[in-house]
Amino acid sequence: MSEHVYKMIELTGSSTQSSDDAVRVALTKASKTLRNMHWFEVVETRGHIEEGKVLHWQVTLKVGLRLEE
């Protein structure tokens, strides 16, 4: 088994649909310019409320990128 080293970055995704969709938005956008994303951890979830309803979700993630050899 080879040894790996990871760099951790932080991303924030947003969505009007759900917190899960906010995660997908962040990872999909990041995957267009970043390589070797291997894992993520949700570190914060926020939302915007108007008239008692959630209108917008924001989710902050830590993402692990495996460094190339």
Side-chain angles (χ1 to χ4, degrees):
M1 175 182 244
S2 61
E3 297 174 348
H4 298 287
V5 175
Y6 295 88
K7 175 178 181 56
M8 204 165 30
I9 63 167
E10 195 169 270
L11 302 172
T12 301
S14 61
S15 171
T16 57
Q17 303 301 308
S18 68
S19 58
D20 285 352
D21 193 50
V23 170
R24 280 189 285 279
V25 166
L27 294 176
T28 299
K29 179 87 171 198
S31 71
K32 293 177 181 178
T33 58
L34 298 172
R35 293 190 313 263
N36 300 325
M37 291 192 302
H38 277 263
W39 55 266
F40 73 91
E41 171 188 2
V42 173
V43 294
E44 187 173 24
T45 304
R46 294 179 299 279
H48 176 76
I49 303 168
E50 209 169 284
E51 296 180 13
K53 295 182 180 180
V54 177
L55 292 185
H56 204 92
W57 293 88
Q58 263 192 345
V59 178
T60 300
L61 316 165
K62 288 183 180 179
V63 178
L65 308 168
R66 183 180 42 80
L67 298 180
E68 295 176 349
E69 299 296 324

